[in-house]
Amino acid sequence: GAGVSQSPSNKVTEKGKDVELRCDPISGHTALYWYRQSLGQGLEFLIYFQGNSAPDKSGLPSDRFSAERTGGSVSTLTIQRTQQEDSAVYLCASSLGQGRDEQYFGPGTRLTVT
Amino acid sequence: KNQVEQSPQSLIILEGKNCTLQCNYTVSPFSNLRWYKQDTGRGPVSLTIMTFSENTKSNGRYTATLDADTKQSSLHITASQLSDSASYICVVRAYGNNRLAFGKGNQVVVIP
């Protein structure tokens, strides 16, 4: 079956512009995660959605970052007024639910802010 | 201080040789530990998962060990292949927590 997909695969934007990153999780997976991976750094947790529960937004680095998950499936990560330090690979992962479930990662979106 | 520390940061090995990657963690209470492989330009893929009661687990040429007392894990790659060139990430979950603690990864380069 299809894995987690993300679009676009690459995004170059000018400083100050807004960007939207999309994630299509595996069908039937109720949990969805967004991470940021900067060069030479580990994955940084951003936000977590679980079913209809309120999302865990505690990893979002500033109020310029927001995410939605519509209909319990597709998710969009929005970065407003992008800064150069936002340049990174943004990874989305989904899993069946809480507990020990394996997270399946998408290929990521490489964001470059010029 | 990061809750998951990996070493070495990077290494180069000859094709056919073995290597061992180390992961030390401070996450508590411990639930499970996964090793992920991340090829360049791709998302991480799980290799093994280990719980408190498991000491060793193999997946083909990959063998992971866990010492929950010393909070250490290792990933051993046997008879390395060029396709093993990747970043290997140690990920630890705390009990009762949906968050994961990620190491920065071991960058492995296999050369012919």
Side-chain angles (χ1 to χ4, degrees), chain B residues 28-57:
Chain B
S28 181
F30 174 83
S31 177
N32 63 63
L33 181 150
R34 285 187 186 270
W35 282 93
Y36 280 83
K37 179 187 180 190
Q38 186 176 21
D39 293 315
T40 301
R42 294 180 176 268
V45 175
S46 178
L47 292 175
T48 65
I49 178 173
M50 304 192 73
T51 58
F52 187 87
S53 59
E54 296 173 308
N55 299 117
T56 183
K57 184 172 286 187

mmCIF file of all heavy atoms in Angstrom, chain B residues 28-57:
data_model
loop_
_atom_site.group_PDB
_atom_site.id
_atom_site.type_symbol
_atom_site.label_atom_id
_atom_site.label_comp_id
_atom_site.label_asym_id
_atom_site.label_seq_id
_atom_site.Cartn_x
_atom_site.Cartn_y
_atom_site.Cartn_z
ATOM 1 N N SER B 28 13.599 8.345 30.866
ATOM 2 C CA SER B 28 13.036 7.547 31.955
ATOM 3 C C SER B 28 11.613 8.036 32.263
ATOM 4 O O SER B 28 11.365 9.243 32.200
ATOM 5 C CB SER B 28 13.924 7.688 33.199
ATOM 6 O OG SER B 28 13.432 6.910 34.260
ATOM 7 N N PRO B 29 10.699 7.138 32.583
ATOM 8 C CA PRO B 29 10.834 5.685 32.550
ATOM 9 C C PRO B 29 10.861 5.173 31.116
ATOM 10 O O PRO B 29 10.179 5.696 30.249
ATOM 11 C CB PRO B 29 9.570 5.215 33.284
ATOM 12 C CG PRO B 29 8.576 6.309 33.054
ATOM 13 C CD PRO B 29 9.359 7.581 33.039
ATOM 14 N N PHE B 30 11.625 4.140 30.922
ATOM 15 C CA PHE B 30 11.885 3.629 29.583
ATOM 16 C C PHE B 30 10.716 2.782 29.086
ATOM 17 O O PHE B 30 10.157 1.970 29.829
ATOM 18 C CB PHE B 30 13.170 2.794 29.618
ATOM 19 C CG PHE B 30 13.480 2.081 28.332
ATOM 20 C CD1 PHE B 30 14.115 2.741 27.295
ATOM 21 C CD2 PHE B 30 13.139 0.744 28.165
ATOM 22 C CE1 PHE B 30 14.414 2.083 26.116
ATOM 23 C CE2 PHE B 30 13.430 0.076 26.983
ATOM 24 C CZ PHE B 30 14.076 0.756 25.958
ATOM 25 N N SER B 31 10.346 2.961 27.824
ATOM 26 C CA SER B 31 9.333 2.122 27.206
ATOM 27 C C SER B 31 9.940 1.249 26.118
ATOM 28 O O SER B 31 9.869 0.028 26.193
ATOM 29 C CB SER B 31 8.203 2.964 26.618
ATOM 30 O OG SER B 31 7.258 2.141 25.963
ATOM 31 N N ASN B 32 10.495 1.881 25.110
ATOM 32 C CA ASN B 32 11.131 1.101 24.059
ATOM 33 C C ASN B 32 12.162 1.939 23.324
ATOM 34 O O ASN B 32 12.218 3.169 23.462
ATOM 35 C CB ASN B 32 10.108 0.519 23.085
ATOM 36 C CG ASN B 32 9.336 1.582 22.332
ATOM 37 O OD1 ASN B 32 9.898 2.366 21.568
ATOM 38 N ND2 ASN B 32 8.038 1.604 22.525
ATOM 39 N N LEU B 33 12.977 1.232 22.559
ATOM 40 C CA LEU B 33 14.037 1.886 21.787
ATOM 41 C C LEU B 33 14.007 1.327 20.372
ATOM 42 O O LEU B 33 13.925 0.117 20.176
ATOM 43 C CB LEU B 33 15.400 1.631 22.442
ATOM 44 C CG LEU B 33 16.645 2.245 21.794
ATOM 45 C CD1 LEU B 33 17.700 2.543 22.864
ATOM 46 C CD2 LEU B 33 17.242 1.376 20.722
ATOM 47 N N ARG B 34 14.062 2.225 19.412
ATOM 48 C CA ARG B 34 14.101 1.813 18.012
ATOM 49 C C ARG B 34 15.368 2.327 17.361
ATOM 50 O O ARG B 34 15.852 3.412 17.687
ATOM 51 C CB ARG B 34 12.913 2.385 17.229
ATOM 52 C CG ARG B 34 11.587 1.717 17.493
ATOM 53 C CD ARG B 34 10.526 2.250 16.533
ATOM 54 N NE ARG B 34 9.196 1.756 16.833
ATOM 55 C CZ ARG B 34 8.691 0.654 16.326
ATOM 56 N NH1 ARG B 34 9.412 -0.077 15.495
ATOM 57 N NH2 ARG B 34 7.466 0.266 16.648
ATOM 58 N N TRP B 35 15.869 1.550 16.433
ATOM 59 C CA TRP B 35 16.895 2.022 15.518
ATOM 60 C C TRP B 35 16.228 2.239 14.164
ATOM 61 O O TRP B 35 15.527 1.362 13.647
ATOM 62 C CB TRP B 35 18.028 1.005 15.387
ATOM 63 C CG TRP B 35 18.983 1.007 16.534
ATOM 64 C CD1 TRP B 35 18.938 0.220 17.645
ATOM 65 C CD2 TRP B 35 20.142 1.834 16.668
ATOM 66 N NE1 TRP B 35 20.008 0.503 18.470
ATOM 67 C CE2 TRP B 35 20.758 1.490 17.897
ATOM 68 C CE3 TRP B 35 20.729 2.818 15.879
ATOM 69 C CZ2 TRP B 35 21.935 2.100 18.350
ATOM 70 C CZ3 TRP B 35 21.891 3.428 16.328
ATOM 71 C CH2 TRP B 35 22.492 3.076 17.545
ATOM 72 N N TYR B 36 16.466 3.427 13.605
ATOM 73 C CA TYR B 36 15.961 3.757 12.285
ATOM 74 C C TYR B 36 17.147 3.918 11.329
ATOM 75 O O TYR B 36 18.216 4.383 11.720
ATOM 76 C CB TYR B 36 15.195 5.080 12.296
ATOM 77 C CG TYR B 36 13.767 5.017 12.800
ATOM 78 C CD1 TYR B 36 13.486 5.062 14.164
ATOM 79 C CD2 TYR B 36 12.699 4.937 11.905
ATOM 80 C CE1 TYR B 36 12.171 5.032 14.620
ATOM 81 C CE2 TYR B 36 11.387 4.902 12.358
ATOM 82 C CZ TYR B 36 11.138 4.954 13.718
ATOM 83 O OH TYR B 36 9.842 4.917 14.164
ATOM 84 N N LYS B 37 16.902 3.580 10.072
ATOM 85 C CA LYS B 37 17.862 3.851 9.008
ATOM 86 C C LYS B 37 17.289 4.950 8.124
ATOM 87 O O LYS B 37 16.136 4.849 7.674
ATOM 88 C CB LYS B 37 18.119 2.587 8.173
ATOM 89 C CG LYS B 37 19.094 2.799 7.031
ATOM 90 C CD LYS B 37 19.183 1.560 6.145
ATOM 91 C CE LYS B 37 20.164 1.791 4.999
ATOM 92 N NZ LYS B 37 20.103 0.715 3.980
ATOM 93 N N GLN B 38 18.096 5.977 7.885
ATOM 94 C CA GLN B 38 17.646 7.067 7.024
ATOM 95 C C GLN B 38 18.610 7.221 5.857
ATOM 96 O O GLN B 38 19.733 7.701 6.031
ATOM 97 C CB GLN B 38 17.516 8.385 7.797
ATOM 98 C CG GLN B 38 16.920 9.500 6.950
ATOM 99 C CD GLN B 38 16.695 10.788 7.727
ATOM 100 O OE1 GLN B 38 17.300 11.018 8.760
ATOM 101 N NE2 GLN B 38 15.804 11.642 7.227
ATOM 102 N N ASP B 39 18.148 6.815 4.676
ATOM 103 C CA ASP B 39 18.917 7.038 3.466
ATOM 104 C C ASP B 39 18.841 8.511 3.086
ATOM 105 O O ASP B 39 17.873 9.206 3.426
ATOM 106 C CB ASP B 39 18.384 6.183 2.322
ATOM 107 C CG ASP B 39 18.605 4.688 2.549
ATOM 108 O OD1 ASP B 39 19.718 4.325 2.959
ATOM 109 O OD2 ASP B 39 17.670 3.905 2.327
ATOM 110 N N THR B 40 19.844 8.976 2.379
ATOM 111 C CA THR B 40 19.888 10.380 1.973
ATOM 112 C C THR B 40 18.648 10.744 1.179
ATOM 113 O O THR B 40 18.278 10.055 0.235
ATOM 114 C CB THR B 40 21.141 10.649 1.133
ATOM 115 O OG1 THR B 40 22.305 10.327 1.901
ATOM 116 C CG2 THR B 40 21.208 12.109 0.717
ATOM 117 N N GLY B 41 17.996 11.818 1.587
ATOM 118 C CA GLY B 41 16.831 12.292 0.862
ATOM 119 C C GLY B 41 15.553 11.520 1.132
ATOM 120 O O GLY B 41 14.545 11.729 0.453
ATOM 121 N N ARG B 42 15.582 10.659 2.125
ATOM 122 C CA ARG B 42 14.403 9.856 2.458
ATOM 123 C C ARG B 42 14.074 9.986 3.931
ATOM 124 O O ARG B 42 14.881 10.454 4.731
ATOM 125 C CB ARG B 42 14.639 8.390 2.103
ATOM 126 C CG ARG B 42 14.797 8.132 0.603
ATOM 127 C CD ARG B 42 15.038 6.665 0.333
ATOM 128 N NE ARG B 42 15.107 6.379 -1.092
ATOM 129 C CZ ARG B 42 14.063 6.029 -1.819
ATOM 130 N NH1 ARG B 42 12.883 5.904 -1.261
ATOM 131 N NH2 ARG B 42 14.211 5.772 -3.098
ATOM 132 N N GLY B 43 12.872 9.557 4.285
ATOM 133 C CA GLY B 43 12.507 9.529 5.690
ATOM 134 C C GLY B 43 13.081 8.312 6.377
ATOM 135 O O GLY B 43 13.431 7.327 5.732
ATOM 136 N N PRO B 44 13.189 8.345 7.701
ATOM 137 C CA PRO B 44 13.719 7.197 8.454
ATOM 138 C C PRO B 44 12.800 5.982 8.325
ATOM 139 O O PRO B 44 11.583 6.119 8.247
ATOM 140 C CB PRO B 44 13.756 7.705 9.889
ATOM 141 C CG PRO B 44 13.710 9.193 9.788
ATOM 142 C CD PRO B 44 12.909 9.487 8.562
ATOM 143 N N VAL B 45 13.415 4.801 8.356
ATOM 144 C CA VAL B 45 12.690 3.536 8.310
ATOM 145 C C VAL B 45 13.132 2.694 9.496
ATOM 146 O O VAL B 45 14.328 2.554 9.752
ATOM 147 C CB VAL B 45 12.952 2.783 7.002
ATOM 148 C CG1 VAL B 45 12.283 1.416 7.026
ATOM 149 C CG2 VAL B 45 12.457 3.590 5.811
ATOM 150 N N SER B 46 12.173 2.143 10.222
ATOM 151 C CA SER B 46 12.492 1.371 11.417
ATOM 152 C C SER B 46 13.212 0.069 11.072
ATOM 153 O O SER B 46 12.810 -0.667 10.170
ATOM 154 C CB SER B 46 11.211 1.054 12.186
ATOM 155 O OG SER B 46 11.478 0.281 13.327
ATOM 156 N N LEU B 47 14.290 -0.218 11.815
ATOM 157 C CA LEU B 47 15.028 -1.469 11.656
ATOM 158 C C LEU B 47 14.648 -2.473 12.748
ATOM 159 O O LEU B 47 14.401 -3.638 12.488
ATOM 160 C CB LEU B 47 16.536 -1.206 11.714
ATOM 161 C CG LEU B 47 17.158 -0.430 10.572
ATOM 162 C CD1 LEU B 47 18.638 -0.169 10.868
ATOM 163 C CD2 LEU B 47 17.014 -1.185 9.256
ATOM 164 N N THR B 48 14.673 -1.998 13.987
ATOM 165 C CA THR B 48 14.366 -2.871 15.124
ATOM 166 C C THR B 48 13.673 -2.069 16.214
ATOM 167 O O THR B 48 13.831 -0.856 16.300
ATOM 168 C CB THR B 48 15.640 -3.476 15.747
ATOM 169 O OG1 THR B 48 16.429 -2.418 16.297
ATOM 170 C CG2 THR B 48 16.458 -4.253 14.743
ATOM 171 N N ILE B 49 12.923 -2.768 17.030
ATOM 172 C CA ILE B 49 12.364 -2.180 18.243
ATOM 173 C C ILE B 49 12.726 -3.086 19.409
ATOM 174 O O ILE B 49 12.680 -4.319 19.274
ATOM 175 C CB ILE B 49 10.842 -1.992 18.188
ATOM 176 C CG1 ILE B 49 10.323 -1.421 19.518
ATOM 177 C CG2 ILE B 49 10.136 -3.295 17.826
ATOM 178 C CD1 ILE B 49 8.857 -1.044 19.501
ATOM 179 N N MET B 50 13.109 -2.487 20.512
ATOM 180 C CA MET B 50 13.480 -3.274 21.682
ATOM 181 C C MET B 50 12.779 -2.724 22.912
ATOM 182 O O MET B 50 12.728 -1.514 23.124
ATOM 183 C CB MET B 50 14.988 -3.254 21.878
ATOM 184 C CG MET B 50 15.745 -3.747 20.651
ATOM 185 S SD MET B 50 17.465 -4.049 20.958
ATOM 186 C CE MET B 50 17.357 -5.540 21.935
ATOM 187 N N THR B 51 12.240 -3.627 23.700
ATOM 188 C CA THR B 51 11.598 -3.254 24.947
ATOM 189 C C THR B 51 12.500 -3.621 26.113
ATOM 190 O O THR B 51 13.560 -4.219 25.934
ATOM 191 C CB THR B 51 10.244 -3.959 25.097
ATOM 192 O OG1 THR B 51 10.463 -5.380 25.048
ATOM 193 C CG2 THR B 51 9.315 -3.569 23.969
ATOM 194 N N PHE B 52 12.039 -3.310 27.301
ATOM 195 C CA PHE B 52 12.865 -3.452 28.504
ATOM 196 C C PHE B 52 13.398 -4.870 28.679
ATOM 197 O O PHE B 52 14.527 -5.071 29.123
ATOM 198 C CB PHE B 52 12.025 -3.054 29.721
ATOM 199 C CG PHE B 52 12.810 -3.007 30.999
ATOM 200 C CD1 PHE B 52 13.475 -1.854 31.367
ATOM 201 C CD2 PHE B 52 12.873 -4.107 31.837
ATOM 202 C CE1 PHE B 52 14.195 -1.800 32.542
ATOM 203 C CE2 PHE B 52 13.596 -4.064 33.018
ATOM 204 C CZ PHE B 52 14.260 -2.910 33.372
ATOM 205 N N SER B 53 12.593 -5.848 28.313
ATOM 206 C CA SER B 53 12.954 -7.237 28.590
ATOM 207 C C SER B 53 13.805 -7.879 27.505
ATOM 208 O O SER B 53 14.221 -9.025 27.629
ATOM 209 C CB SER B 53 11.685 -8.070 28.772
ATOM 210 O OG SER B 53 10.894 -8.010 27.609
ATOM 211 N N GLU B 54 14.067 -7.142 26.428
ATOM 212 C CA GLU B 54 14.799 -7.720 25.302
ATOM 213 C C GLU B 54 16.251 -7.274 25.318
ATOM 214 O O GLU B 54 16.543 -6.092 25.468
ATOM 215 C CB GLU B 54 14.132 -7.319 23.984
ATOM 216 C CG GLU B 54 12.717 -7.878 23.849
ATOM 217 C CD GLU B 54 11.998 -7.336 22.625
ATOM 218 O OE1 GLU B 54 11.961 -6.103 22.466
ATOM 219 O OE2 GLU B 54 11.467 -8.154 21.850
ATOM 220 N N ASN B 55 17.163 -8.216 25.138
ATOM 221 C CA ASN B 55 18.590 -7.918 25.161
ATOM 222 C C ASN B 55 19.179 -7.800 23.760
ATOM 223 O O ASN B 55 20.126 -7.054 23.547
ATOM 224 C CB ASN B 55 19.351 -8.995 25.927
ATOM 225 C CG ASN B 55 18.901 -9.096 27.363
ATOM 226 O OD1 ASN B 55 18.393 -10.110 27.795
ATOM 227 N ND2 ASN B 55 19.071 -8.022 28.099
ATOM 228 N N THR B 56 18.648 -8.585 22.839
ATOM 229 C CA THR B 56 19.181 -8.574 21.485
ATOM 230 C C THR B 56 18.071 -8.900 20.496
ATOM 231 O O THR B 56 17.161 -9.678 20.801
ATOM 232 C CB THR B 56 20.353 -9.556 21.343
ATOM 233 O OG1 THR B 56 20.903 -9.460 20.025
ATOM 234 C CG2 THR B 56 19.895 -10.991 21.589
ATOM 235 N N LYS B 57 18.170 -8.297 19.329
ATOM 236 C CA LYS B 57 17.202 -8.551 18.275
ATOM 237 C C LYS B 57 17.884 -8.337 16.936
ATOM 238 O O LYS B 57 18.620 -7.359 16.769
ATOM 239 C CB LYS B 57 16.001 -7.641 18.419
ATOM 240 C CG LYS B 57 14.894 -7.905 17.408
ATOM 241 C CD LYS B 57 13.662 -7.101 17.709
ATOM 242 C CE LYS B 57 12.907 -7.653 18.893
ATOM 243 N NZ LYS B 57 11.603 -6.972 19.089
#
